[in-house]
Amino acid sequence: MSTNIENILIIGSGSAGLTAAIYAARAGFSPLVLTGIQPGGQLTITTDVENYPGFQDAVQGPWLMEQMQKQAENVGARIEYDLIVDLDKDVWPFKVKTDSGKEIQAETIIIATGAQARWLGIESEEKYNGKGVSACATCDGFFFKNKNVAVIGGGNTAVEEALYLSNLCQNVTLIHRRDELRAEKILQNRLFDKKNINILWNNKVDEILGDDFGVNSLKLISTKDGSETTIKIDGIFIAIGHDPSTLVFKNKIDLDQDNYIITNLGETATSVPGIFAAGDCVDKIYRQAVTAAGMGCMAALDAEKWLANNK
Ligand code: NDP
């Protein structure tokens, strides 16, 4: 088993992890990035990205992440295709075990392990992913300008997505499996006030239907009496929650009730001094590549300062 001592170990290679790597490398460290199971993170499973600043035209998500990785490497970050399986936070330097059998010692750690959107788990959802099926209205809503879309879910995310889409789309249908929403009342009131949002209660999606051009309708089943209906739509946004990739940190670093890493507002320090966190493993509200990148930058600056004060 090989052992190295790292100044700054970054766990995760989405926009938070790679931005942290760029900043840490440019500050004179040679940070090690463990990519995790999905190198490049959630942007690698999207197509057109139009809201990441700096590009006149849409860029492809996988291309953007490849560029970010090359940028990090060019300024001195080291990238390893490995994932963390255990953390010992009670020793310093901290000890991390990886899937490939390595043990890495690290003076500071930046956790940027991200989150995964929950999906319905039906076959047609995968078939039309990127062709009318999305889990992010802010990312993909623009492609459905003046069209008719459905949003699935009854929580804060679903209601916020529906409200966002209602400003772009002709009509939004919120489809919820029960007859009441779990979203906050203030959001519910805004939703009910919108003229171009209608709600289909007590229904779930049985199948997403489409053709070579993408999604064109949904087959729904009533959760009350099992009756079937088909509605015409151009796009479907699944908003049934996200799961942060933080299980390996449970009982080691403070997590909230939804397993997101707890940091103070505007900070990246976790409950363990010397361990910082950034991006979607912390943030359940904004969840954007650009906000994750911003937090990655903050985490690198915080880690550098911590090393300067504690080493
Ligand atoms: P939630 O877990 O709160 O809600 C998920 C919704 O999806 C529920 O209504 C649930 O239905 C429904 N659902 C779950 N699985 C399925 C399924 N298989 N088929 C159909 N429907 C399903 O997730 P959110 O992403 O909305 O929110 C997560 C956390 O983030 C919450 O704590 C939320 O408050 C917070 N948040 C806060 C925001 C803010 O403050 N502005 C914005 C966004 C999120 P059911 O109700 O029947 O269980």
Side-chain angles (χ1 to χ4, degrees):
M1 189 179 285
S2 64
T3 304
N4 310 303
I5 297 188
E6 303 293 340
N7 295 130
I8 300 180
L9 173 68
I10 298 167
I11 304 171
S13 59
S15 56
L18 291 176
T19 306
I22 292 165
Y23 273 78
R26 294 193 75 254
F29 298 94
S30 171
L32 176 65
V33 179
L34 299 182
T35 59
I37 208 155
Q38 188 179 48
Q42 290 181 77
L43 269 192
T44 58
I45 52 163
T46 60
T47 50
D48 284 2
V49 178
E50 281 187 336
N51 55 8
Y52 198 86
F55 304 98
Q56 184 176 329
D57 298 313
V59 293
Q60 297 298 298
W63 178 85
L64 180 61
M65 296 320 295
E66 195 184 296
Q67 291 297 310
M68 237 184 254
Q69 178 172 331
K70 284 183 180 158
Q71 185 181 357
E73 286 175 311
N74 282 346
V75 290
R78 291 163 299 135
I79 316 271
E80 281 185 16
Y81 296 88
D82 210 344
L83 59 138
I84 163 178
V85 292
D86 199 16
L87 162 72
D88 186 351
K89 52 100 180 156
D90 295 320
V91 293
W92 194 83
F94 306 111
K95 276 188 189 160
V96 159
K97 280 200 184 116
T98 74
D99 190 47
S100 71
K102 261 193 179 171
E103 185 175 278
I104 302 169
Q105 291 186 284
E107 291 170 337
T108 62
I109 296 177
I110 295 173
I111 301 172
T113 44
Q116 303 289 332
R118 274 185 221 142
W119 296 99
L120 297 170
I122 54 178
E123 218 174 275
S124 44
E125 177 181 50
E126 217 169 297
K127 182 171 169 192
Y128 291 109
N129 199 333
K131 293 182 199 142
V133 176
S134 167
C136 177
T138 328
C139 318
D140 299 326
F142 189 73
F143 303 120
F144 298 92
K145 208 168 177 184
N146 299 326
K147 294 191 168 173
N148 297 317
V149 297
V151 176
I152 316 301
N156 276 354
T157 304
V159 173
E160 284 196 346
E161 303 255 283
L163 288 168
Y164 179 87
L165 289 164
S166 71
N167 294 325
L168 290 168
C169 302
Q170 189 172 33
N171 202 276
V172 179
T173 305
L174 185 86
I175 300 168
H176 185 37
R177 62 187 178 184
R178 293 188 296 132
D179 62 1
E180 63 177 341
L181 302 170
R182 67 169 67 230
E184 290 163 16
K185 280 281 171 290
I186 186 166
L187 286 174
Q188 294 199 27
N189 291 339
R190 271 184 222 150
L191 183 88
F192 299 144
D193 281 348
K194 278 277 181 175
K195 298 273 177 293
N196 64 339
I197 299 181
N198 61 303
I199 306 177
L200 266 180
W201 302 105
N202 301 311
N203 268 282
K204 62 179 188 179
V205 179
D206 185 51
E207 209 180 337
I208 300 166
L209 305 165
D211 54 29
D212 289 348
F213 300 103
V215 171
N216 57 30
S217 49
L218 294 181
K219 189 173 139 205
L220 305 175
I221 291 193
S222 161
T223 52
K224 280 265 188 228
D225 58 17
S227 58
E228 290 179 9
T229 42
T230 301
I231 60 163
K232 282 201 170 312
I233 45 104
D234 304 299
I236 168 172
F237 290 82
I238 317 288
I240 60 171
H242 281 75
D243 293 312
S245 308
T246 54
L247 275 189
V248 74
F249 307 114
K250 206 164 184 148
N251 302 321
K252 297 179 178 177
I253 290 170
D254 287 354
L255 307 179
D256 72 7
Q257 75 278 7
D258 299 320
N259 290 325
Y260 287 85
I261 296 173
I262 297 173
T263 60
N264 288 330
L265 195 66
E267 293 176 15
T268 66
T270 68
S271 57
V272 180
I275 301 187
F276 303 86
D280 286 14
C281 61
V282 178
D283 166 29
K284 63 173 80 161
I285 312 260
Y286 302 103
R287 297 192 186 110
Q288 300 302 301
V290 69
T291 50
M295 289 170 78
C297 159
M298 289 160 61
L301 299 178
D302 289 343
E304 288 158 29
K305 201 187 280 175
W306 192 89
L307 280 171
N309 292 336
N310 290 280
K311 236 179 118 172

